[in-house]
Amino acid sequence: MIRYPRLTAAISAVVMSPLLHAQEGAPASGADTIEEVMVIGQLGRYSATKSDTPILETARSVSIETALDLREKGALNVADAYLYSAGVFGERYGFATRGDWVSVRGLDVPEYRDSLQALFGNYNNTRPDIYTIEQVEVLKGPASVLYGQGSPGGIVNVVSKTPRSEPFRELVVEGGNFDRLQLAADLTGPLDQDGQWLYRLNGVYRNTDTQVDHVSEEALVFAPSLSWTPDDRTRVTALLNLQDTDSDTGSQFHQVDGTLRPAPDGRFIDQSAYTGEPGFNRYDTENRSVTLLADRFINSTWSVEGTARYTEGESDYRQAWASFIGGDRWVYDEGGELYRDGMVPRTFYVADNTSEQFATDLRARGSFSTGPFEHELMIGAMLQDVTTDTDTAYLYALGYDFSTAGPDEAPGDRFWINPLEPVYNGNIPDGDLIDSYFNDAPAASTRDPGFYINDQITAGNWNLLLGLRHDNVETDNGVTVQDDDATSYSVGVLYGTEIGLFPYVSYAESFEPVVGTDNVTGAALKPRDGEQIELGIKYQPGNGGAFATLAWFDIEESNLSNPNALVGANSQQEGVSTIHGVEFEAFVPFGNFRWETNLSRVETENPDGYRFASVPRDQASTWISYRPGGAWQGLKAGAGVRYVGDSWDGADALRTPSYTLADLMVAYETEEWQMSLNVTNVGNKEYQATCLARGDCFPGEARSVVARFIQRF
């Protein structure tokens, strides 16, 4: 039988963590450093898989980026964490301040924190701050057996920083272009002599402008946590997370003619152009959450654990943008020229959003044998209860007369703007006008109790994973209350060879409720169903230094809206989407260098036969880091290249060209301090991350230059 310890070198390889430095702040001496890398990089009981089984022995594709990886590659937000992963698109809508838009295997996926869902609705929450995160994990493919309703693309899970028994303290000062200033602190260690009480304090203050004119951000984050370990079999941790962010929206929804193509007069809209109105626009968010993590080893066979969270979130969102008025969105005067050299109407949008969540996940684990079979059994019960409330006012194309395709006589063009040469006149809708459009919508709620069982069975070189879950989801959108029952299955088989090859095959399912009534059948709409078959092979040589995985997958999502060409259908949900592709990830250390490479190809087809919107078919990335020894010990350097292939608009009519970007890092550290410089998009390449069929484009991220000084004590 091949047995691998839970803290194998595979963990550190897959997470692409440098082996010489456990984390920013660990002492530079050997054994302690390697141990810390493994602790940070391993899958744990609050990870995406809810298991500490190493990735090498898991019959699924999982990618991890640790806090050290993210700092090394210059990630400034969670979306940047996905830029060096196969099959994951982290910059789906370019530069953004409202959220972290990520697709996995061509599909939007939910975001979890410590294995409980963290974001809900549209703009009802604050995006997590990357400094409070220990690592970011991507579980690829359907995950309903573990998490209930969700996307067939998978999930992303961020792992919070929690208290440590060894004292560690750091203060961080960052400065960069766009007048970026960030101060951060991370303090942890024991509170008492016996080490039964451990604490951790994380705090962040950030004030920065951005690549978009008039868009700035001021953020304050406070994330303390406390652990109680009365004995070596019990641990209880409470985490508080308070975030307050005042900002504006980076996405300006610039029209295609003026970005991807020239405007009618041959000019282009500057990527920094702001089509909002200072004094009106804002995107202010607050988030308050309390999380409890608890585990107890009962005996050598059984243990129990639980997670629970209560969250309140709210956002005050106001934005003006150039309106979608059809065609190329430009307005022409009677002579056929651009109206007033490019003036176009604007839409003014107001949203007051809130969310409230209570969630808990209780699990019992058993580790035992039945004859030649060794079992790692997990039995769980999960409850998610979420309420979101979104009240909006949508003032569309103010001052535009659709009958004459010109200004309306009453308001005229006083709310309009020229995206080519924006001027801000302070004309914004007054309160009475906004109130006349305001829609105080009813709150929506989802209650999802689920029960699941997973058994990982080992016999000799064989590893078999069986999973079963049943959910009963009640969804209330304020108008309709709908109950959906779903049973999900998963199975995986992996074989470990003596030479380090681990071939595997797996099958998994997902479901996602759709609220409404089928106008053809008269019955409630069925949940969207997803299923995936994955074939792969993982490889790690005997020395444990390198790691590689190759995976092929085929996903089908059904019960979608009917394709346009389907006439006389028996229901409204006969649409099917298909996704298939291949992914390759590898990590190879050689000498003082570490080399990571990621390749993927994703083929998609929606029910109408078109490629998915904003999903590149091909992606490739590589990162090389250098850690010399001897007289140069303490120096660190890294360089990466990212390629993102062409993507389409969802109707195969508009192609967004591919782009290639480069990133650099150089640093020097001692046990007490570190100085570093990160540059992303070194060439300051201007590109469009995606363009949509509705007629707008999303500029990509401009060059970022950030210098960082860390003092440890």
Side-chain angles (χ1 to χ4, degrees):
M1 177 188 299
I2 298 179
R3 300 300 300 162
Y4 291 81
R6 294 308 182 196
L7 299 181
T8 60
I11 295 170
S12 57
V14 173
V15 301
M16 293 97 184
S17 297
L19 296 179
L20 296 181
H21 299 275
Q23 61 172 27
E24 306 292 351
S29 58
D32 290 341
T33 300
I34 294 176
E35 180 182 359
E36 287 292 332
V37 169
M38 293 180 175
V39 169
I40 292 176
Q42 72 174 345
L43 289 171
R45 295 190 169 192
Y46 308 110
S47 68
T49 62
K50 300 184 182 180
S51 169
D52 54 9
T53 299
I55 294 174
L56 190 67
E57 301 176 31
T58 302
R60 294 287 298 269
S61 290
V62 182
S63 297
I64 300 179
E65 292 281 293
T66 68
L68 177 59
D69 297 323
L70 301 178
R71 184 174 284 182
E72 181 177 281
K73 294 170 184 174
L76 299 180
N77 51 60
V78 175
D80 293 340
Y82 311 114
L83 300 181
Y84 285 89
S85 294
V88 184
F89 188 24
E91 196 188 347
R92 191 167 188 182
Y93 297 107
F95 172 71
T97 56
R98 295 176 300 172
D100 303 308
W101 315 124
V102 57
S103 69
V104 179
R105 294 184 170 175
L107 294 161
D108 294 331
V109 298
E111 183 178 294
Y112 283 70
R113 185 160 189 150
D114 303 318
S115 74
L116 292 175
Q117 191 168 349
L119 299 182
F120 310 93
N122 293 315
Y123 320 121
N124 297 76
N125 308 91
T126 303
R127 67 200 303 196
D129 192 278
I130 199 165
Y131 190 73
T132 66
I133 293 171
E134 200 76 85
Q135 66 184 29
V136 178
E137 307 161 343
V138 183
L139 174 60
K140 303 173 186 178
S144 284
V145 162
L146 290 176
Y147 293 100
Q149 59 177 316
S151 165
I155 72 158
V156 297
N157 182 59
V158 299
V159 179
S160 300
K161 290 180 178 178
T162 53
R164 297 182 181 176
S165 58
E166 293 297 323
F168 167 73
R169 296 176 292 273
E170 73 171 18
L171 300 177
V172 184
V173 179
E174 289 183 5
N177 59 338
F178 305 119
D179 294 325
R180 177 183 179 87
L181 172 65
Q182 178 168 301
L183 307 175
D186 186 4
L187 314 172
T188 188
L191 284 172
D192 62 329
Q193 187 173 7
D194 296 332
Q196 290 190 3
W197 292 93
L198 310 174
Y199 79 98
R200 192 157 191 172
L201 296 175
N202 282 283
V204 180
Y205 172 75
R206 179 170 54 256
N207 193 317
T208 181
D209 292 334
T210 70
Q211 67 185 65
V212 180
D213 295 339
H214 300 282
V215 175
S216 61
E217 179 187 79
E218 185 174 20
L220 185 63
V221 183
F222 181 54
S225 55
L226 184 67
S227 290
W228 178 50
T229 55
D231 54 55
D232 58 3
R233 298 192 302 168
T234 307
R235 185 180 180 101
V236 179
T237 301
L239 303 95
L240 178 66
N241 190 282
L242 305 174
Q243 293 186 230
D244 188 346
T245 303
D246 294 336
S247 66
D248 197 346
T249 54
S251 299
Q252 300 299 302
F253 315 114
H254 293 319
Q255 48 260 57
V256 170
D257 289 330
T259 51
L260 196 61
R261 302 186 294 251
D265 64 356
R267 290 186 290 171
F268 285 89
I269 300 171
D270 196 286
Q271 289 208 328
S272 65
Y274 176 74
T275 57
E277 187 67 39
F280 176 81
N281 276 43
R282 61 177 176 263
Y283 184 64
D284 299 342
T285 63
E286 292 185 30
N287 210 71
R288 301 165 293 276
S289 70
V290 179
T291 304
L292 187 68
L293 313 176
D295 51 80
R296 166 76 174 176
F297 287 86
I298 299 172
N299 52 40
S300 60
T301 300
W302 289 99
S303 64
V304 293
E305 68 208 43
T307 63
R309 176 180 298 133
Y310 177 77
T311 303
E312 293 179 342
E314 60 187 60
S315 71
D316 179 9
Y317 177 20
R318 296 181 175 224
Q319 185 178 8
W321 62 80
S323 303
F324 297 89
I325 56 174
D328 59 12
R329 298 172 65 186
W330 295 99
V331 180
Y332 300 89
D333 59 25
E334 293 181 358
E337 301 295 325
L338 286 179
Y339 175 74
R340 291 184 58 183
D341 203 29
M343 294 286 284
V344 296
R346 282 188 295 183
T347 292
F348 290 79
Y349 178 73
V350 175
D352 296 327
N353 302 333
T354 63
S355 68
E356 184 178 28
Q357 173 212 25
F358 173 75
T360 184
D361 189 1
L362 304 176
R363 302 184 285 269
R365 297 179 188 269
S367 180
F368 54 89
S369 299
T370 56
F373 303 105
E374 296 186 16
H375 298 263
E376 295 288 341
L377 181 67
M378 177 172 63
I379 303 171
M382 189 172 179
L383 173 65
Q384 175 126 285
D385 195 335
V386 178
T387 300
T388 59
D389 193 1
T390 301
D391 301 324
T392 62
Y394 186 67
L395 289 69
Y396 173 60
L398 284 181
Y400 185 72
D401 188 337
F402 284 86
S403 64
T404 64
D408 184 90
E409 291 185 2
D413 61 10
R414 65 190 179 96
F415 297 121
W416 294 21
I417 198 168
N418 184 347
L420 297 164
E421 298 177 1
V423 176
Y424 313 102
N425 52 27
N427 287 328
I428 60 177
D430 59 31
D432 290 339
L433 181 56
I434 292 174
D435 288 344
S436 68
Y437 284 84
F438 200 78
N439 176 32
D440 188 356
S445 63
T446 300
R447 191 174 188 275
D448 179 6
F451 303 90
Y452 59 97
I453 181 169
N454 263 29
D455 193 7
Q456 182 154 324
I457 305 169
T458 303
N461 292 358
W462 290 95
N463 189 311
L464 173 65
L465 180 64
L466 301 174
L468 172 68
R469 177 173 175 135
H470 183 77
D471 287 88
N472 186 348
V473 184
E474 179 184 276
T475 310
D476 182 354
N477 64 6
V479 178
T480 302
V481 178
Q482 182 170 304
D483 289 321
D484 291 291
D485 292 324
T487 301
S488 307
Y489 304 90
S490 67
V491 60
V493 180
L494 179 143
Y495 183 79
T497 70
E498 300 290 347
I499 60 174
L501 287 172
F502 290 74
Y504 69 91
V505 59
S506 64
Y507 170 82
E509 296 179 338
S510 70
F511 77 96
E512 187 173 10
V514 180
V515 178
T517 301
D518 192 314
N519 292 331
V520 177
T521 66
L525 294 173
K526 296 179 290 186
R528 294 174 181 167
D529 288 335
E531 55 183 30
Q532 172 189 270
I533 296 175
E534 180 176 320
L535 301 173
I537 188 167
K538 303 178 183 184
Y539 174 66
Q540 184 179 37
N543 61 13
F547 184 89
T549 180
L550 176 67
W552 171 89
F553 60 89
D554 185 277
I555 298 174
E556 180 180 280
E557 189 176 20
S558 56
N559 294 340
L560 303 177
S561 298
N562 290 344
N564 295 329
L566 189 61
V567 180
N570 295 321
S571 77
Q572 288 183 263
Q573 293 184 282
E574 298 184 23
V576 174
S577 289
T578 59
I579 309 152
H580 62 271
V582 62
E583 300 163 348
F584 175 75
E585 295 185 346
F587 173 83
V588 180
F590 52 97
N592 294 325
F593 292 89
R594 304 290 182 269
W595 175 43
E596 167 195 343
T597 188
N598 307 282
L599 306 169
S600 61
R601 169 165 289 183
V602 180
E603 303 277 4
T604 64
E605 184 176 305
N606 69 18
D608 292 312
Y610 302 132
R611 286 164 281 203
F612 288 5
S614 310
V615 176
R617 185 180 122 172
D618 297 314
Q619 286 183 266
S621 64
T622 188
W623 180 267
I624 297 177
S625 59
Y626 175 58
R627 306 282 190 283
W632 291 96
Q633 187 168 0
L635 176 67
K636 302 195 297 184
V641 177
R642 297 176 274 131
Y643 168 79
V644 177
D646 298 347
S647 63
W648 293 81
D649 61 348
D652 285 0
L654 191 65
R655 181 181 65 89
T656 303
S658 63
Y659 55 90
T660 302
L661 307 174
D663 307 318
L664 292 174
M665 179 276 294
V666 63
Y668 187 84
E669 71 172 345
T670 69
E671 291 187 13
E672 293 80 23
W673 57 268
Q674 181 193 78
M675 295 183 66
S676 64
L677 179 69
N678 285 94
V679 184
T680 60
N681 188 3
V682 173
N684 201 25
K685 181 181 180 64
E686 292 191 358
Y687 63 99
Q688 301 300 322
T690 189
C691 295
L692 303 178
R694 67 189 187 186
D696 58 331
C697 290
F698 296 79
E701 294 192 4
R703 177 169 54 212
S704 169
V705 181
V706 175
R708 181 181 296 112
F709 177 77
I710 303 172
Q711 179 68 55
R712 306 178 185 113
F713 56 95

